[in-house]
Each structure stands twice: as C-alpha cells, then as structure tokens.
C-alpha cells in the first residue's frame, strides 16, 4: 500500500517537449486524393463482402433449420455458396493488414500517384475473387482463382520493392 497516494508522481522529472506534434501536422489532401479514394473503395468492397457473407450464412442457416438439419457454419464443404462467402472474406482479411500498410507506406514515401494506380488494380483483383472462386466449381478445380490472388501478391511485392529501393 502506498501511503502517499499519487504524490510520488509529482517528484518525477518532466518529460521533454515533443519534437513533432502530429496533431499540428496537416497533410494537403490533393497529393493523396487518389490514395484516399482507393482506400475508401477497398473498405467499401470489404463491407460488401461482409454483407454478402452474412446474407449467405443466414440463408444457409434458415434452409438447414427448415430441413431439420444441423447447421455447420464454418468452412462447410457441402455448401459451396457458404464456402465461397467465407473464403472471399477470409482471403481479404488475410491480406488486408499487409496491403494497407504497404500501400500507404508506398504512397507516402515513394509515389502517391503510382501507389494509387497499383492499389486500384489490387482492389479490382480482390473484387474478382468471388466470381473466380465460383468458376472453379465447373468441372475440375482450376487455378483460375490465381488471377485474383497472385496478381494481388504481385502488387504487394511491387510496393515492398519500391520501399526497399527508396531506403537504399
């Protein structure tokens, strides 16, 4: 038990003033307008995918209940629509952190216009994912889904290469 309460904190040395106060820093939007638009489009796409997933889950759950069957929610291999919805959201979530980080680092430290174009391409390839996933159902599984995934990996490698090059 501390009998002096918080009085000991008053005896601590004062912290030095910050060198840069981020709250005072304003970045003109014009240079990053396209990057902001791409980010908004990417997040809207993610929200649409989440809505699609929720709709498929509720529909599958209602159908299972109507048939008196137990509803298997996650990665149900017997429900292709549910699996497609889960993989669409899952694939986007798996790449979201690295994409947004590399995208904004590239835009800030390398080139915002080129970064925005690459980010728009990346977002477009993400939008193709559920359609390409469904095409793999026809006949034998085909690697057509790689059009979405590998092109996205290429954009991530492009961002990373540009950042490393800028550092050297």
């Amino acid at each position: 038990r501390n009998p002096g309460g918080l009085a000991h904190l008053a005896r601590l040395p004062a912290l030095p003033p910050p060198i840069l106060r981020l709250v005072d820093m304003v970045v003109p939007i014009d240079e990053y307008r396209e990057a902001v638009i791409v980010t908004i489009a990417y997040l809207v796409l993610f929200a649409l995918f989440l809505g699609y997933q929720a709709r498929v889950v509720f529909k599958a759950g209602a159908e299972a209940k109507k048939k008196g069957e137990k509803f298997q929610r996650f990665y149900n291999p017997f429900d292709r629509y549910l699996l497609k919805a889960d993989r669409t959201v899952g694939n986007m979530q798996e790449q979201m952190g690295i994409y947004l980080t590399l995208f904004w680092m590239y835009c800030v430290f390398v080139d915002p216009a080129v970064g925005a174009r690459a980010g728009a391409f990346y977002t477009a390839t993400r939008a193709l994912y559920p359609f390409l996933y469904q095409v793999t159902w026809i006949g034998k599984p085909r690697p057509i889904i790689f059009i979405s995934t590998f092109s996205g990996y290429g954009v991530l490698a492009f961002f990373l290469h540009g950042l490393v090059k800028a550092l050297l």
Side-chain angles (χ1 to χ4, degrees):
R1 184 159 199 248
N2 185 353
L6 298 177
H8 68 284
L9 292 178
R11 295 187 294 271
L12 292 175
L15 295 173
I19 295 171
L20 172 66
R21 291 183 49 180
L22 292 178
V23 279
D24 295 336
M25 188 171 90
V26 176
V27 178
I29 190 81
D30 292 337
E31 190 173 355
Y32 297 100
R33 180 176 306 282
E34 291 172 331
V36 170
I37 291 169
V38 167
T39 302
I40 291 168
Y42 181 80
L43 296 174
V44 166
L45 179 64
F46 183 60
L48 290 171
F49 283 172
L50 288 173
Y52 167 69
Q53 181 187 39
R55 185 173 60 90
V56 171
V57 166
F58 289 126
K59 183 179 177 185
E63 288 176 8
K65 186 176 181 180
K66 188 169 30 174
K67 294 177 183 176
E69 299 172 351
K70 182 179 179 203
F71 177 54
Q72 182 180 340
R73 165 64 189 94
F74 293 102
Y75 296 100
N76 183 342
F78 304 108
D79 188 330
R80 296 187 308 189
Y81 294 102
L82 185 57
L83 187 59
K84 177 179 87 166
D86 285 344
R87 283 309 311 138
T88 298
V89 170
N91 184 267
M92 195 161 185
Q93 281 180 319
E94 291 162 4
Q95 304 301 318
M96 185 179 289
I98 192 167
Y99 164 68
L100 288 174
T101 301
L102 289 175
F103 170 68
W104 274 102
M105 287 174 59
Y106 187 93
C107 287
V108 169
F109 298 118
V110 180
D111 186 333
V114 172
R117 285 192 292 277
F121 176 75
Y122 182 90
T123 301
T125 65
R126 295 293 100 187
L128 291 175
Y129 187 92
F131 304 104
L132 296 175
Y133 193 94
Q134 187 165 341
V135 170
T136 64
W137 295 348
I138 303 168
K140 297 178 183 176
R142 289 177 254 160
I144 195 165
I145 194 70
F146 296 154
I147 292 171
S148 177
T149 56
F150 285 7
S151 58
Y153 302 149
V155 172
L156 297 177
F158 171 79
F159 287 151
L160 189 59
H161 175 264
L163 286 163
V164 169
K165 188 175 172 185
L167 284 172
L168 301 177

